Amino acid sequence: MKIYLALWKKWGFLCFIFCNYSMLLYAQQPVSGKVSAGDTALPGVVVYIKGTSVNTQTDGSGRFTVNAPAGATLSFSLMGYGSKEVPVGNRSFINVQLESVTQGLGEVVVVGYGTQKRKDLTGAISSLNATVYKDQPVLNASSALQGRVAGVSVANSSGAPGGAVKIRIRGANSINASNDPLYVIDGVALSSISIQDINVNDIASMDVLKDASATAIYGSRGANGVIIITTKNGKAGTMHIEYNGFLSSNKPMKKYDLLDAVGYAQQANHIAGSSVFADPSSYAGKGTNWQDLIFHTGITQNHQLSVSGGTDKSRYYISGYYVNQSGLLVNTGQEKFALRANLDSKLSNRVSIGLGIFAAHSNSNNNGDIGGKGNPVTAALAWAPTEPVYDSGSQYNRFAISPIWSNPYMTIRERNSVTSSNSAVLNGHLAYNITDWLALNINLGLDVNNSRNAYLNNDWISPGNPGSGQSSVESYTFQNSNSLTFHKKFNEKHDLTVMGIVEETSSKYNSFTAAGSGLTSTSNGYYNLGLNTSQGISSAYTNWALLSYVGRASYTFNDKYLITATYRADGSSKFQTTANKWGYFPSIGVGWRLSEESFIKDLGIFSNLKLRASWGITGNQSINPYSSLGLLTGMQYSYGTTTLYQGYLLGSPSNPDLKWETTKQTDIGLDVGLLGGRLNISADYYNKRTKDLLLQVPIASYDGGGTMYKNVGVVNNKGFEVFVDLTAIQQGDFSWTTSINASAYRNKVVSLGKDSILYRPVIGGGLINTNIQVVKTGESLGAFYLIPWQGIYRTDDNRTGGKAGDNRYTDVSGNGSIGYEDRVIAGSAIPKFQWGFNNNFRYKHLELNVFVQASHGNKIFNATYAGIAAPTSDVKYPTLAASANYWTSSNTGTVWADPASKTNRSYVESTQYLQDGSYVRLKNISLSYTLPKKATRFADVRFTLSAQNLYTITNYKGYDPEATSTSATSDADAGIDLGAYPSPRTFTFGVNISL
């Protein structure tokens, strides 16, 4: 009996468990529904059962199905929309509405060392979500920013793979110091690597801090604005795998209209006054098209694979990236690999840690500036079409009848310059919520760049004297930020946040170069530098540090009245004396949310109405370390022997008085929300004044000559910017959203100390023989200084002595002759107005994007055009087709002087070659179609066809109004096209697979 009783207890217990388990299974019920925003279905929304790892995603129609127990809570999340939790109860069908946070008041914005709700902002901050450019083949973050953020100017200075980009926020402040904004990625302020090194596919959002109230918390590093990049993180739920890839075909946007071989031969005979070519007609159907030889169709392939997921306590995001891009110019290209891992974990309810690792490797081939007036781009336009590529067999035709430059096809095919780069960003952070109102955050960051360049100049590139060389650069920047944040609400009306920060930054740079000439054998390439008969080595080392103390307080009363105050003290090792090492940067911003006032609410018009104002000071210390110290310059001298001895000369003198360059900025802004939040407008007026410019001032010859850094001069930037975001149509399966941003600004050099004008270096010597750009008080940076050209003399002018058919210039000096003393300010390379217009149309599974970007008011000196338009000492016979329409007694209405005239003087350094750089460009047009998971049975698949730089409206006569031969880091030297590498027109097919 006891045995039966024991068995009964065991079986009874098992039956009890089984029954309960059966009831639990019975309680699991399918729950379905639809997720939308207004009338628009939302595909890809992550739906998971809170407290479990069970999850699914909405299909292309926004529908979902999940098995959930009664009493469960479903969580809905999608990037760009606010998350929502919904109790299931006993329901089997649930419809959920998510609110867009792209411009919503509830959006959390990264403001530097923390976040803040957009409705509480007092500073000028613009945000860009990655979803805005998701269907465009964007290879870098700068391309994503271009034309999409008001007040941010982005110019692709070089169209080469991985080419230089110039980014300016609210204009240029400095003449010699850097005008680049500060880039902060996941809390790490980049110094050793650039924004171009970051994988754009890993970016979740970018927040652009523009006014002093927003940037002053970065003190000395925020003078030129701040771009805060937040990378993607994993979300709680099952593993999410996503693949993005595209294949692009890249072609030149336009080509120059040049003379064919017959026309060239005829014009050469006319200019020479003799039969240079005995029978020009014999070249009919013959000749060489040098443009077609150096340009080709480039191919770009891009692949990204990411894996993300996790639990409520631990999340991960891991991605890999590969791009292979061949350039428009033959024998140019870049290959790049990148890996990212973002890990976040909650150790307890109060402590969480995170680790971010990014590493990239790139190999670039011949992408740098080929340099000089005779680079392959200018040479391909100037070389005589009557010339063959080869003399015989594979022997290049080295010398042409014109110009004096090298065979462009030979130069570009035989050039061998390779750059490899390894870059990394490591970021670790710890957050400790000491209490509900006090939190400690510790962030450690390291950004690293190790690069190597190697070149070989064979006998074709350097006839009779081949050479080779290698150089390496190591750069490390370490950052430690520690912040303590107090946040508390009092009586539901007072909201106070106080933050204190201590930050240390240290950066080291080390370079080494070894090069030589007289290479005895090229068979080893650049791997055996010892084969150079003449050798030289050099190296460099710098080390600078920054110590910072920061305080910020934000207060909100009754959700209506806002005030934010910041104070930062920065100590820089770049300045000598203790008094000058430290810079102090205060700011204050106030806001008034009028939409919370009853007299505004009663109108029933505004979903948001806020007035903002701010003032603050930021600084700039972006000069090379040791610039304020007295330095020696190395020099070798033989002392009358055959042996070289190392010696030293006095270099730049010491300046212990050198101090911070400072920028004061005032901003007044207005944020308006209408139509229930469907229309949002943000407008700002700003005025920036930069003084104590870190300027390299010439030293008088009687004091030894050279230059030295001084705090001299004032530069002013002022402007107006507006951003409009509109959901124009949202009905059923169709929606149209559009955004417009526009920026108008003026740059002015107010003072240069005792000087009124500073001459910039000559670019393109031999073709351009004097300074054509200056920095002048009362004018903008990038000002052109040229002789005014008035066309040509139609008839003889007895008053001036001008002959019919000759160029006509203005005698500004009044000395009765034309020369460089007649140069005047003739415009600036800095645009006055820029705008972008982005449209998204969606119908069911189809989506169309049309993006237009434009720039107006800037000038470009087209030295490339000048080099092929008229005879010069370098180019004997012009090749430009239009130049054949020169003046004759029966053709007096032309603008081209008679190239055979013995009395004509043609100045390249004149306004004749200064052209309007304004343009309106169809930057992107793309059509996407999504196959939902229920159709493919395994994943959501999205196909995209797109075109970039499809059509450009411009009066500029060169390849590309964006491209420039000047450095992307300079604003005083800008807008000169001397064979600049143009951007391509691109056609792309892309695929996105999400499962």
Side-chain angles (χ1 to χ4, degrees):
M1 187 69 179
K2 291 182 178 179
I3 295 175
Y4 288 110
L5 184 59
L7 290 172
W8 171 251
K9 287 181 179 180
K10 291 180 180 179
W11 282 104
F13 178 72
L14 292 174
C15 290
F16 176 78
I17 294 176
F18 179 78
C19 291
N20 278 275
Y21 183 68
S22 300
M23 293 176 63
L24 182 63
L25 289 176
Y26 181 78
Q28 292 276 354
Q29 59 181 5
V31 178
S32 60
K34 182 177 181 180
V35 184
S36 56
D39 296 326
T40 303
L42 294 179
V45 178
V46 178
V47 184
Y48 73 92
I49 302 174
K50 188 176 180 181
T52 72
S53 61
V54 178
N55 73 90
T56 185
Q57 288 189 16
T58 58
D59 61 19
S61 301
R63 301 186 181 279
F64 71 93
T65 299
V66 64
N67 289 322
T73 298
L74 299 183
S75 176
F76 300 82
S77 62
L78 177 66
M79 186 176 295
Y81 293 84
S83 299
K84 180 175 285 189
E85 293 184 353
V86 179
V88 173
N90 294 319
R91 292 178 293 177
S92 61
F93 191 85
I94 298 174
N95 281 337
V96 178
Q97 290 280 332
L98 298 184
E99 294 183 3
S100 172
V101 296
T102 304
Q103 286 294 321
L105 296 179
E107 179 188 2
V108 174
V109 179
V110 181
V111 294
Y113 304 98
T115 59
Q116 196 172 6
K117 289 184 179 179
R118 181 170 293 280
K119 68 182 180 66
D120 295 332
L121 292 178
T122 59
I125 299 178
S126 296
S127 301
L128 182 67
N129 195 289
T131 57
V132 174
Y133 52 86
K134 64 181 181 347
D135 291 328
Q136 301 173 36
V138 175
L139 287 173
N140 52 64
S142 59
S143 297
L145 285 167
Q146 188 175 35
R148 294 184 175 92
V149 180
V152 179
S153 171
V154 180
N156 295 304
S157 301
S158 171
V165 177
K166 179 185 287 187
I167 300 178
R168 297 292 180 264
I169 298 176
R170 292 185 168 182
N173 303 323
S174 186
I175 296 174
N176 286 125
S178 173
N179 285 310
D180 293 336
L182 174 68
Y183 304 106
V184 179
I185 179 166
D186 294 334
V188 180
L190 302 182
S191 291
S192 297
I193 69 173
S194 73
I195 191 175
Q196 298 294 87
D197 296 311
I198 301 301
N199 179 9
V200 67
N201 298 289
D202 290 333
I203 296 176
S205 65
M206 288 184 278
D207 294 279
V208 182
L209 282 55
K210 296 181 285 188
D211 72 332
S213 175
T215 63
I217 195 166
Y218 288 101
S220 65
R221 311 180 77 181
N224 302 315
V226 182
I227 298 177
I228 301 178
I229 298 172
T230 303
T231 59
K232 296 176 181 177
N233 285 299
K235 294 182 179 180
T238 57
M239 180 184 295
H240 175 65
I241 302 174
E242 185 171 1
Y243 166 79
N244 279 286
F246 65 78
L247 185 68
S248 295
S249 171
N250 311 303
K251 296 182 177 182
M253 285 187 278
K254 64 181 291 188
K255 291 184 178 180
Y256 276 86
D257 186 13
L258 303 177
L259 292 168
D260 61 12
V262 173
Y264 179 84
Q266 291 173 342
Q267 180 156 269
N269 287 346
H270 169 72
I271 295 171
S274 61
S275 296
V276 178
F277 296 93
D279 183 12
S281 62
S282 66
Y283 287 96
K286 302 177 183 178
T288 303
N289 189 323
W290 296 98
Q291 280 191 102
D292 287 349
L293 284 175
I294 68 164
F295 288 109
H296 72 151
T297 299
I299 301 297
T300 299
Q301 57 173 310
N302 178 88
H303 306 278
Q304 161 100 5
L305 182 66
S306 64
V307 180
S308 63
T311 66
D312 288 339
K313 289 190 175 182
S314 296
R315 296 173 297 152
Y316 60 89
Y317 171 85
I318 301 172
S319 73
Y321 166 73
Y322 171 75
V323 63
N324 191 326
Q325 183 180 13
S326 58
L328 284 181
L329 292 174
V330 298
N331 200 25
T332 64
Q334 184 183 61
E335 187 177 34
K336 189 172 183 177
F337 310 83
L339 177 69
R340 171 173 293 279
N342 287 345
L343 310 173
D344 297 280
S345 180
K346 287 185 177 180
L347 301 183
S348 67
N349 291 332
R350 294 191 179 277
V351 180
S352 61
I353 59 173
L355 177 66
I357 302 173
F358 170 77
H361 173 77
S362 66
N363 288 308
S364 298
N365 183 47
N366 298 327
N367 288 338
D369 178 24
I370 296 174
K373 58 190 175 182
N375 70 64
V377 175
T378 54
L381 298 173
W383 253 62
T386 56
E387 296 289 335
V389 177
Y390 302 99
D391 281 336
S392 61
S394 60
Q395 298 296 306
Y396 288 107
N397 175 15
R398 192 187 295 277
F399 304 105
I401 189 172
S402 174
I404 64 172
W405 307 327
S406 298
N407 181 329
Y409 186 71
M410 175 191 73
T411 302
I412 203 165
R413 290 299 304 180
E414 298 299 324
R415 185 169 183 257
N416 187 359
S417 177
V418 178
T419 300
S420 62
S421 175
N422 296 302
S423 56
V425 180
L426 308 177
N427 175 37
H429 61 270
L430 180 147
Y432 174 35
N433 295 320
I434 303 171
T435 68
D436 293 337
W437 45 266
L438 187 64
L440 172 67
N441 281 275
I442 299 174
N443 198 82
L444 298 174
L446 175 69
D447 65 300
V448 180
N449 181 63
N450 293 331
S451 63
R452 171 180 167 270
N453 175 261
Y455 74 88
L456 170 68
N457 290 335
N458 62 19
D459 200 57
W460 291 113
I461 298 297
S462 183
N465 189 28
S468 59
Q470 293 191 35
S471 62
S472 63
V473 172
E474 297 177 348
S475 183
Y476 304 88
T477 302
F478 174 78
Q479 176 186 310
N480 169 224
S481 302
N482 308 281
S483 65
L484 192 64
T485 305
F486 168 91
H487 175 238
K488 204 168 183 63
K489 285 187 176 182
F490 304 93
N491 300 326
E492 298 300 322
K493 288 189 176 183
H494 307 277
D495 192 327
L496 177 64
T497 302
V498 179
M499 175 182 286
I501 303 168
V502 178
E503 184 175 84
E504 297 174 293
T505 303
S506 176
S507 182
K508 293 183 179 181
Y509 171 92
N510 188 16
S511 69
F512 178 83
T513 300
S517 59
L519 192 64
T520 56
S521 171
T522 59
S523 60
N524 291 314
Y526 39 69
Y527 292 109
N528 190 344
L529 303 183
L531 296 178
N532 289 290
T533 55
S534 176
Q535 302 172 7
I537 61 172
S538 63
S539 63
Y541 172 82
T542 62
N543 186 0
W544 63 267
L546 196 69
L547 177 62
S548 308
Y549 301 96
V550 190
R552 179 173 63 193
S554 299
Y555 171 70
T556 301
F557 174 70
N558 206 21
D559 213 23
K560 298 179 184 178
Y561 312 110
L562 320 167
I563 184 170
T564 301
T566 304
Y567 192 84
R568 177 163 178 148
D570 280 328
S572 172
S573 65
K574 294 182 180 181
F575 304 106
Q576 289 188 46
T577 63
T578 303
N580 290 339
K581 282 184 182 295
W582 287 92
Y584 304 97
F585 309 105
S587 76
I588 187 168
V590 294
W592 179 17
R593 296 193 63 208
L594 289 90
S595 52
E596 295 301 306
E597 301 287 359
S598 58
F599 63 90
I600 297 295
K601 282 185 175 181
D602 293 343
L603 297 176
I605 299 175
F606 301 98
S607 57
N608 179 43
L609 183 62
K610 180 170 67 175
L611 182 66
R612 296 177 281 104
S614 68
W615 172 91
I617 300 175
T618 50
N620 195 339
Q621 47 111 32
S622 296
I623 56 175
N624 290 328
Y626 323 126
S627 294
S628 67
L629 301 177
L631 302 177
L632 296 175
T633 300
M635 183 179 182
Q636 290 183 323
Y637 190 68
S638 63
Y639 294 97
T641 70
T642 57
T643 303
L644 291 176
Y645 297 93
Q646 183 66 46
Y648 296 91
L649 295 174
L650 291 176
S652 57
S654 172
N655 182 4
D657 297 325
L658 197 67
K659 60 182 180 180
W660 294 85
E661 179 179 292
T662 57
T663 298
K664 292 182 181 179
Q665 182 175 181
T666 302
D667 182 280
I668 299 175
L670 181 67
D671 300 323
V672 181
L674 301 167
L675 305 178
R678 289 175 57 184
L679 173 61
N680 294 281
I681 303 170
S682 182
D684 284 84
Y685 169 80
Y686 65 88
N687 192 337
K688 294 199 299 182
R689 185 179 179 89
T690 304
K691 68 174 185 176
D692 296 328
L693 298 177
L694 293 166
L695 190 63
Q696 282 182 305
V697 178
I699 302 171
S701 297
Y702 56 77
D703 281 336
T707 62
M708 68 180 296
Y709 269 105
K710 287 187 176 181
N711 293 106
V712 175
V714 177
V715 171
N716 179 251
N717 287 277
K718 61 176 65 175
F720 178 80
E721 57 194 38
V722 62
F723 177 81
V724 179
D725 182 70
L726 171 65
T727 302
I729 300 175
Q730 198 170 57
Q731 294 181 350
D733 294 323
F734 179 73
S735 67
W736 170 30
T737 59
T738 182
S739 64
I740 304 171
N741 74 85
S743 308
Y745 44 87
R746 297 293 182 270
N747 174 273
K748 182 179 179 181
V749 179
V750 179
S751 170
L752 291 172
K754 65 179 182 179
D755 297 310
S756 61
I757 188 170
L758 297 176
Y759 294 90
R760 304 304 298 171
V762 176
I763 298 175
L767 179 65
I768 303 172
N769 297 304
T770 190
N771 321 82
I772 63 170
Q773 281 191 310
V774 296
V775 178
K776 189 176 187 300
T777 55
E779 304 293 340
S780 171
L781 290 175
F784 291 101
Y785 198 52
L786 301 166
I787 302 171
W789 178 73
Q790 295 182 322
I792 63 171
Y793 289 100
R794 310 298 177 193
T795 59
D796 291 346
D797 190 329
N798 295 327
R799 183 179 59 85
T800 62
K803 300 297 183 181
D806 289 354
N807 282 305
R808 183 173 186 171
Y809 301 98
T810 302
D811 181 12
V812 176
S813 67
N815 63 359
S817 64
I818 301 299
Y820 296 138
E821 69 276 7
D822 295 309
R823 288 171 294 169
V824 298
I825 299 297
S828 169
I830 295 181
K832 296 179 180 178
F833 182 66
Q834 294 182 314
W835 56 274
F837 183 34
N838 196 30
N839 297 271
N840 277 291
F841 305 89
R842 176 180 289 177
Y843 178 72
K844 292 186 177 179
H845 302 308
L846 278 171
E847 188 169 353
L848 174 68
N849 174 263
V850 180
F851 175 43
V852 180
Q853 179 256 331
S855 177
H856 305 274
N858 62 301
K859 299 290 186 181
I860 301 175
F861 186 82
N862 195 343
T864 306
Y865 190 85
I868 62 174
T872 65
S873 59
D874 283 5
V875 184
K876 195 173 184 180
Y877 307 123
T879 57
L880 187 69
S883 68
N885 182 30
Y886 51 80
W887 182 95
T888 65
S889 58
S890 59
N891 184 31
T892 60
T894 183
V895 298
W896 294 102
D898 181 1
S901 172
K902 303 302 181 183
T903 58
N904 180 56
R905 179 71 186 272
S906 180
Y907 283 96
V908 170
E909 306 86 354
S910 73
T911 58
Q912 181 178 9
Y913 304 109
L914 188 66
Q915 299 172 359
D916 184 7
S918 303
Y919 67 89
V920 177
R921 176 168 286 171
L922 181 55
K923 197 69 177 178
N924 180 79
I925 181 168
S926 60
L927 181 65
S928 302
Y929 181 77
T930 301
L931 283 172
K933 195 171 185 177
K934 66 178 182 180
T936 65
R937 303 297 179 93
F938 75 97
D940 291 320
V941 181
R942 187 180 184 89
F943 301 99
T944 302
L945 286 172
S946 64
Q948 293 71 45
N949 299 333
L950 185 62
Y951 185 70
T952 302
I953 301 172
T954 182
N955 291 323
Y956 182 60
K957 298 177 182 179
Y959 285 121
D960 180 10
E962 278 192 80
T964 177
S965 301
T966 55
S967 171
T969 61
S970 175
D971 292 274
D973 309 302
I976 299 177
D977 182 352
L978 186 60
Y981 200 127
S983 295
R985 176 182 290 126
T986 302
F987 298 92
T988 304
F989 173 71
V991 178
N992 173 272
I993 302 174
S994 180
L995 66 157

